């Protein structure tokens, strides 16, 4: 088991899933991960899980840097339910606010919408970029037109390396070196290891993000070290890969069949494999044939609008002192 | 086995796949289906398979009406390869022409683009609708502006029942009852039972089509009986369902594992199941969790443009006497 | 002047503008048009004008059929102002309700979104079609899933004749002959004779509509006579034509210059022309060069969303007994 | 006249229009502008005008920096005419090639698509960005996958300041400081002073560009001084402003009326005004009412595709040694 943990490459960007994987591997639902603190809080509309990676031991166990990882889970996220969304906006905005630097009255915030505008499940980031209230140019060119009710917000959607030919982190770095923001808020669509998480989970962390990790390859990080200011990352899983889908289905299938058969070499063999090994096996088989397929809900166009509005509103409320929950959907640009 | 054939509900709209399924079930690659004639023709760029269902015996075996089902298979369909596309356009246009009614000099043709403009893999039909050369209104209102080089073409994209509240076949019937076309050409994105067919196969048939069969539920047919004129259907698989993906992957997986193990109850059990039964089993397991997921390539936006241009050009050349292969991409409206 | 009234071809679909034109021509702001009753009601957010054409004398004077023409004017319509929009939704929904047939408990309503999805200022109708709560198919196929809180609503976007080759009114007639609705609600983007009306005026009438009259040519009417049921038309001017723009600007220009010069043959000549003659003169000059140009605000994409949401919500509230102003933006499909 | 030249603010980005304006002001069609050389070349499909601003005298007269301004005019640009487009692509690619730095075998080129993806007439730049063959990331990460047939091309669409809050030139500068390109090719939709130029004129220059000058306000230049490498600018007028439209129409109108009247103070007054003064007068009148309106053809969506494909193909052929006119439309990414 030790060896396995060492070669463990998490195929998820969600800290909450890594925690669950570790518990699974130790076959112990109450397994405590050293150096990691987990608090949960269940509300009528959402469940909030706050994972704090306290030290290097925790970082090594989780495969993620020291810092805060807050997850909100809500089935209503993918429904057209403005009342529920208002509650989620409130919670997300408070979470963002708690992670913002406290150094200044009027922050200079750069919102970065990661992802590809040409592939629907990957448009979440650019959508948010289009919807936050952008003020930096007004502060700069017509300062008399705004007051302290707004911070200095700018926003870019740097597209993806396959379309630009440039590492996304380098575009952000280039722009940030000019703007010198106090804080970057980066939004990205993620992949998940569970179909049930698609469009129902928001993760907010203060440890940066890997552009394109969800859908493309893992690339250079956007974090305080690379861009020179704190990076708050907001991610929502909008796709699962084909291998995850097969893996989950096979698990269900085997479980169902288990009851009907006793002596079963394949079953035993599959069960002897760790989760990660089984997934790798499936991935190996699936890649040549279906490597560029993705799995997403039919109504993804519509759901991106809900998710994007939730996140854009939450950012507006968190960063602009004068905007409150009563202004939901009031500011689009 | 007889019983199984009776309850056989093909989960594919492609005659070529049904043929393959029947051969598989009889475990005989040379199995001849009674009442069905199959001709193949392999060209450098594409493979053409012409399945003729000759009589009721064939119709019953295939689960499809008597008529012609011509399939073109080409990997180049999903690539940006204008030269290959030109060859495919030529072949598709000749196939369409061979199925058109020969009753008149100047045909009155209604092109129907089935599918949902809001879900990318389902936009093929509406895309073609937008690209064929529409002339009927000119013939009607400014007849002096056109000559016999064009037929009278009109085109509609009736959307899907989930968005309109109206059975799609009824919208087409309503419009056709006014236009009184000599022939309808209906284009739809289909589902396939094989991931490798996605965006690489075009089926042209003269027996009508079920709007939404590929992605939604099976609905009322569009065919000569329901709309009062011959219906040429052009379909391209652009998605596979999640169950197909799992099924195909498990087949690979089991095949790989077979070599490593002898005594295996699950394997034996799965192998004892017919293809159709295994698929149904997987579907049963997958539906509650992932029922509304679809699986499609990442570059589907781009590929729909290739496919749509191939089909729209092929229709223009087939129906308008004065348009030839040299006019490819010249007419968009 | 009599002759002029005879050849008067109103270049506007707004009854309120025709009324104003007539007053202008009589050079009398209190001019009463025979057979026409005009009531106005000014509220904080909007101004409502209810024009009733009472009889044939009124119809002949106005160049429009006998019936009700209610206009709401509000600058807030084109702003991102959800509170103001709520008030407008309330008023529009009550106006629609007052025009609906009272024959049945559960109405069968067909919403028709006129216009071209490919030209932004003309997408208002299709946008509304996508946003109203469609229920007819559920009532038909899973009646147990719905109750009397919703009516039977279907919706189509028949596109424009230039793209389909079919007169739009004929598509609607074809579909209506199958659905047999109790009432059609048709939405269209209009042209206006005044740039200041763009995106700030909603007209609701119960006398039908000419598809494409605003942007293309005048075509066959959609009205009770042609489709067999009452037609409520909802129109918003989203463009002005180039000639209107020039006309209005020249008026300003001449007015400004008047003060500076006395003896002026051109001025006198232009002033001697009636409004309609001057417009025709400009149109004649402008058409060869700029005939296919349109004039629209830069933020039209955004404003169509506001307008479309206002109208879709108003329709939902007016026709579905169980939907109220508290459900605003809850139902998108 | 001297004074006028001093306060002359060209309301056009097209050197060819400035030249024409100067000739008009001197009322001399053969007027030679000091320090400016003009060569024209009329081909069957297009007319090419090569304006060279030779020195400071020319720069001051033209209000533009010393350098080359090549204009191609062709009515076929706005038509669906692939054969004509091929000839234009050839000429544009040769023009670009003549302006590229000759310093290296394998150039490092950054393509910058200026403009706003959310306003159709302004999407030309981003469209080209999406269509050029991007290779830089392949050269960097999988160098073995490419050979000397392609240069190192990257591309960005930095959006507009109103949406990002950041001066566009600063985003480009930030990215360029990382990529260190040998040359930037910037594409932008422009405004024109003549409705007849819309979508029929391409200007290629080697003196940089002002992002947003066409549609928004004049902003900081992108040129060798600001970004550290030569900037080739490719511009196409896709809109005229409302004032231009009115101005041009009034000119026609007055010309028509001139014949009918002799003694006319307004006409004399208007004719006494210089072109620039008349335009300013109209603009003053028009701005309060219609300041944010733009004028564009109805089929602008379609025409942007033609223009974008012409420019993207021309760039691919000019910069990638292995791509020729035979590969037209082969490379989209």
């Amino acid at each position: 088991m030790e060896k396995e943990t060492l070669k463990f490459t998490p195929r998820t960007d969600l800290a909450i899933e890594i925690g669950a994987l570790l518990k699974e591997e130790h076959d112990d639902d109450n397994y405590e991960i050293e150096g990691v603190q987990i608090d949960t809080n269940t509300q009528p509309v959402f469940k909030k899980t706050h994972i704090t990676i306290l030290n290097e031991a925790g970082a090594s166990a989780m495969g993620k840097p020291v810092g805060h990882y807050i997850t909100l889970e809500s089935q209503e996220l993918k429904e057209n339910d403005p009342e529920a969304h208002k509650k989620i906006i409130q919670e997300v905005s408070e979470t963002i606010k708690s992670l913002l630097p406290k150094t200044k009255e009027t922050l200079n915030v750069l919102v970065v919408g990661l992802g590809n505008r040409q592939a629907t499940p990957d448009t979440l980031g650019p959508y948010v970029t289009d919807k936050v209230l952008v003020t930096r140019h007004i502060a700069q060119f017509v300062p008399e037109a705004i007051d302290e009710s707004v911070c200095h917000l700018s926003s870019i959607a740097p597209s993806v390396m396959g379309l630009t030919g440039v590492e996304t982190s380098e575009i952000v770095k280039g722009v940030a070196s000019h703007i010198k923001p106090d804080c970057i808020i980066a939004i990205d669509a993620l992949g998940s290891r569970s179909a049930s998480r698609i469009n129902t989970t928001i993760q907010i962390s203060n440890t940066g993000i890997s552009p394109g990790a969800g859908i493309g390859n893992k690339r250079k990080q956007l974090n305080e070290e690379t861009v020179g200011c704190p990076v708050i990352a907001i991610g929502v899983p909008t796709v699962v890969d084909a291998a995850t889908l097969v893996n989950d289905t096979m698990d269900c299938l085997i479980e169902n069949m288990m009851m009907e058969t006793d002596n079963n070499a394949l079953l035993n063999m599959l069960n002897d494999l760790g989760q990660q090994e089984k997934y790798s096996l499936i991935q190996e088989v699936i890649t040549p044939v279906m490597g560029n397929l993705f799995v997403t809900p039919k109504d993804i166009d519509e759901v991106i609008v809900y998710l994007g509005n939730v996140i854009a509103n939450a950012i507006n409320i968190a960063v602009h002192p004068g905007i409150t929950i009563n202004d939901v959907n009031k500011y689009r640009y």
Side-chain angles (χ1 to χ4, degrees), chain A:
Chain A
M1 197 54 86
E2 249 60 46
K3 265 193 304 170
E4 230 194 304
T5 308
L6 287 176
K7 68 185 171 62
F8 181 78
T9 324
R11 57 190 163 94
T12 171
D13 287 292
L14 296 176
I16 200 173
E17 291 191 337
I18 301 172
L21 273 174
L22 290 175
K23 287 178 182 178
E24 245 175 57
E25 274 171 20
H26 289 83
D27 220 348
D28 173 6
D29 224 36
N30 296 315
Y31 174 70
E32 298 221 347
I33 307 158
E34 206 198 312
V36 175
Q37 183 185 319
I38 303 181
D39 300 308
T40 61
N41 171 359
T42 303
Q43 296 285 329
V45 167
F46 57 83
K47 184 183 167 196
K48 183 180 177 181
T49 307
H50 189 142
I51 298 180
T52 314
I53 302 185
L54 301 160
N55 52 36
E56 279 313 309
S60 155
M62 298 283 290
K64 296 215 154 265
V66 169
H68 295 278
Y69 301 84
I70 296 100
T71 304
L72 260 76
E73 298 169 86
S74 169
Q75 292 302 316
E76 281 82 359
L77 259 179
K78 63 177 175 181
E79 308 296 335
N80 191 355
D81 186 337
E83 284 315 305
H85 291 182
K86 226 168 172 175
K87 291 190 184 113
I88 301 170
I89 289 168
Q90 182 95 58
E91 192 69 29
V92 173
S93 77
E94 276 165 27
T95 304
I96 296 170
K97 212 179 283 183
S98 75
L99 301 177
L100 285 173
K102 312 288 181 293
T103 45
K104 277 185 183 177
E105 281 289 289
T106 303
L107 287 173
N108 179 352
V109 176
L110 172 61
V111 173
V112 176
L114 300 167
N116 180 354
R117 279 187 197 272
Q118 287 165 34
T120 311
D122 205 21
T123 56
L124 178 64
Y127 184 92
V128 172
T129 310
D130 292 347
K131 295 302 173 199
V132 287
L133 178 65
V134 171
T135 52
R136 182 179 168 278
H137 57 310
I138 307 173
Q140 205 170 11
F141 294 102
V142 273
E144 65 279 10
I146 62 171
D147 59 20
E148 65 278 10
S149 69
V150 293
C151 81
H152 296 181
L153 190 142
S154 50
S155 80
I156 58 165
S159 190
V160 294
M161 193 173 73
L163 294 180
T164 62
V166 190
E167 188 101 53
T168 303
S169 62
E170 300 293 348
I171 295 181
V172 178
K173 227 193 283 186
V175 175
S177 71
H178 168 68
I179 297 181
K180 301 197 186 358
D182 301 311
C183 177
I184 285 175
I185 301 178
I187 301 94
D188 204 4
L190 308 175
S192 162
R193 66 174 284 275
S194 150
S196 67
R197 283 210 181 281
I198 295 185
N199 300 335
T200 64
T201 301
I202 300 180
Q203 174 176 279
I204 304 140
S205 73
N206 67 345
T207 63
I209 199 165
S210 293
I215 289 167
N217 294 322
K218 244 195 163 66
R219 309 260 22 117
K220 278 194 198 151
Q221 289 274 330
L222 280 185
N223 57 32
E224 183 149 13
E225 211 176 309
T226 59
V227 296
C229 71
V231 176
I232 298 175
I234 303 177
V236 178
T238 61
V239 292
V240 291
D241 59 40
T244 290
L245 184 76
V246 174
N247 187 72
D248 290 7
T249 315
M250 278 187 58
D251 285 354
C252 293
L253 204 62
I254 288 168
E255 207 170 293
N256 285 4
M257 284 181 153
M258 278 296 220
M259 304 165 194
E260 302 170 29
T261 174
D262 302 312
N263 167 19
N264 196 318
L266 176 62
L267 281 191
N268 295 341
M269 211 179 86
L270 285 173
N271 278 329
D272 284 353
L273 295 175
Q275 275 291 336
Q276 189 60 27
E277 268 183 316
K278 181 147 64 72
Y279 176 81
S280 301
L281 183 67
I282 291 170
Q283 203 170 36
E284 207 174 290
V285 169
I286 219 171
T287 301
V289 203
M290 293 165 257
N292 74 336
L293 297 180
F294 68 87
V295 184
T296 198
K298 279 177 192 148
D299 60 350
I300 184 71
D301 298 77
E302 194 63 21
V303 178
I304 289 289
V305 172
Y306 305 151
L307 294 170
N309 285 339
V310 163
I311 295 173
N313 277 294
I315 293 175
N316 279 342
I317 295 169
V319 303
H320 292 306
I323 299 184
T324 73
I325 191 71
N326 297 322
D327 301 310
V328 161
N329 285 325
K330 192 160 169 193
Y331 299 99
R332 306 184 73 119
Y333 290 142

